[in-house]
Amino acid sequence: MNENQSEMISLIKKLAPSQGYTQSILENITFMRVDQALESMQTLYEPSIVIVLQGEKHGYYLGEKYTYDAQNYLVVSVPLPFSVETIASSEQPLLGLILRIDPLILAELVVDLSDYSETLSGQSISALYASPMDICLENSVYRLIKALSEEREAKILAPSIYREILYRVLVNEQGQVLRSTLYQNNSFGKISKVLHYIHNQYQTKIDLDYLASQANLSIPSLHVHFKAVTSTSPIQYIKMIRLHKSRLMMIQENTTVEDAARRVGYESTSQFSREFKRLFGQSPMDEVKKMKSIFTLSPSS
């Protein structure tokens, strides 16, 4: 561990003093801390960059294992449910930060990087990937954490460093996958648009004909390309998003099971509970109790 890494861990411990998630002063950045090993559990990541400074996480998606730790960061290019396990302990807690990808800043950077926009033909595309942490990105993360440790610097300097980190990720050898989410002339970009729509409109009735028209695809083509990106059908993906969102409501807002079911579009609470248990392995009340004991969202200090 070099001097910068040691200082980042010390600062993160102060910025995230308790287990769970702690909101930073900057809206798009959240600190995370886990003080115990956690078995594989279902999670939902918005488009984000996950940087681990201490400890280790393993993500499982489409039969692949993605390790993100002090040497590798994770990029999730579209809203995606997948399984995650955590390696941590009270002596060596997992410490890190999640940078939610701002679509407007991403679009601005992609336009500025138009000269670097290679085609994706012949390349395999995954909705998430792990990449090695290089020295340039590590230095950017170091400066970001230092800026977020002081209120004035957090407000003035942190936004530009956040933008710099997005740039670093985009110019990485795998950054083309993230750039491709904005390209509407390839299937990955079309499905990305559909996923973002579902993520934002999950509480409403979502029509497959409308999704297909948004992607400029036939319904059969929508199913084929959708499954290639998400490993599931549009209907099953919508269901998973609604169940994940309901879990967040019950954890963060103390919403009742009945109200959470109604808010995400279920008319039958019993059907909601059955499908919830099928996805998470236990009843809504038991799952929420467990998650509250592990993950809380604390305000910025």
Side-chain angles (χ1 to χ4, degrees), residues 54-268:
Q54 178 176 277
E56 191 173 314
K57 278 183 172 286
H58 302 298
Y60 297 91
Y61 176 69
L62 291 180
E64 297 290 333
K65 178 181 178 180
Y66 299 85
T67 297
Y68 41 123
D69 51 20
Q71 287 76 46
N72 302 277
Y73 62 93
L74 184 78
V75 176
V76 184
S77 60
V78 295
L80 194 69
F82 60 100
S83 298
V84 173
E85 65 181 12
T86 303
I87 299 175
S89 66
S90 56
E91 295 79 17
Q92 289 281 315
L94 181 134
L95 301 166
L97 58 163
I98 300 172
L99 287 73
R100 187 180 69 83
I101 297 173
D102 186 307
L104 295 179
I105 296 176
L106 178 67
E108 290 172 359
L109 288 170
V110 168
V111 169
D112 291 339
L113 287 168
S114 58
D115 291 342
Y116 297 88
S117 299
E118 309 92 349
T119 63
L120 283 168
S121 58
Q123 298 183 38
S124 60
I125 302 173
S126 178
L128 74 163
Y129 62 89
S131 277
M133 176 78 72
D134 61 39
I135 188 63
C136 292
L137 182 57
E138 182 182 308
N139 287 338
S140 300
V141 173
Y142 171 70
R143 288 185 289 105
L144 177 66
I145 293 173
K146 288 203 69 174
L148 290 170
S149 302
E150 200 279 316
E151 185 174 1
R152 182 172 59 185
E153 291 198 0
K155 292 179 178 178
I156 297 173
L157 299 180
S160 62
I161 305 174
Y162 163 83
R163 183 186 179 94
E164 177 187 333
I165 290 174
L166 284 190
Y167 163 79
R168 298 284 179 202
V169 171
L170 282 170
V171 297
N172 177 279
E173 61 180 353
Q174 297 189 76
Q176 173 65 13
V177 174
L178 186 56
R179 295 199 293 274
S180 70
T181 62
L182 299 176
Y183 301 158
Q184 296 305 305
N185 60 346
N186 65 67
S187 59
F188 189 73
K190 292 176 179 180
I191 297 303
S192 172
K193 181 179 180 180
V194 170
L195 296 180
H196 281 281
Y197 177 84
I198 294 171
H199 194 69
N200 292 321
Q201 302 295 327
Y202 66 91
Q203 293 170 302
T204 66
K205 184 178 180 180
I206 299 176
D207 182 79
L208 286 186
D209 287 327
Y210 181 76
L211 294 182
S213 68
Q214 286 293 294
N216 196 26
L217 295 168
S218 67
I219 289 183
S221 293
L222 173 68
H223 276 274
V224 170
H225 294 302
F226 197 98
K227 191 166 186 178
V229 173
T230 67
S231 79
T232 190
S233 69
I235 295 297
Q236 288 299 316
Y237 180 88
I238 293 167
K239 183 185 296 184
M240 285 193 292
I241 291 294
R242 286 172 172 164
L243 292 172
H244 275 283
K245 293 290 188 179
S246 70
R247 182 172 66 164
L248 281 176
M249 291 176 190
M250 291 184 282
I251 294 170
Q252 297 180 357
E253 304 173 26
N254 292 318
T255 306
T256 65
V257 175
E258 293 78 10
D259 193 38
R262 178 188 57 80
R263 286 174 60 183
V264 298
Y266 279 83
E267 296 180 359
S268 167

